[in-house]
Amino acid sequence: QVRLLESGGGLVQPGGSLRLSCVGSGNAFNIYNMAWFRQAPGQAPGKERELVARITSDGSTEYADSVLGRFTISRDNAKNTVALQMNNLKPEDTGVYYCNAIKYREYWGQGTQVTVSS
């Protein structure tokens, strides 16, 4: 069983930055592939979550085209954390951001709200 807790969301102006963090409980955090998904406003929970960034257990990363060059995903296995550094934020980045862990089973956090608005 893995429990995930996100933090770091908030309200930011376009062009600003935020850093999201996800702390995982349980053992063997390092074996999980970790990712951040987001859900845009107005969509039902669980529907149409968009993959933002992923980092595998061996440190390989991939990003959605829309965030490439602006967002950076990283992990610290010693602290059971995965972070998402978001720079040059745009209004279309607004949404609820979810931390995801997957290996033999899939786990989700509760989400943290990111609002990009002037």
Side-chain angles (χ1 to χ4, degrees):
Q1 182 77 11
V2 174
R3 294 184 179 179
L4 303 172
L5 181 63
E6 304 99 333
S7 62
L11 172 64
V12 63
Q13 292 186 343
S17 298
L18 283 175
R19 184 176 178 85
L20 305 184
S21 183
C22 172
V23 179
S25 66
N27 298 321
F29 180 85
N30 60 298
I31 72 170
Y32 286 88
N33 295 327
M34 304 297 299
W36 288 95
F37 285 75
R38 69 185 175 196
Q39 188 151 26
Q43 291 181 325
K47 300 295 184 181
E48 302 294 332
R49 289 183 184 179
E50 173 193 16
L51 174 66
V52 176
R54 174 181 286 121
I55 184 165
T56 64
S57 58
D58 65 0
S60 299
T61 59
E62 67 173 294
Y63 297 91
D65 288 344
S66 59
V67 308
L68 196 61
R70 299 188 297 122
F71 291 11
T72 303
I73 189 171
S74 61
R75 67 188 297 163
D76 185 340
N77 291 329
K79 297 181 179 180
N80 281 16
T81 59
V82 60
L84 185 68
Q85 177 65 43
M86 306 186 294
N87 298 327
N88 190 22
L89 282 159
K90 303 176 180 181
E92 52 263 41
D93 294 319
T94 294
V96 180
Y97 283 68
Y98 295 90
C99 183
N100 171 275
I102 187 167
K103 183 64 176 179
Y104 306 110
R105 293 182 62 183
E106 187 172 32
Y107 301 94
W108 293 91
Q110 292 299 306
T112 185
Q113 176 70 45
V114 172
T115 303
V116 185
S117 175
S118 55

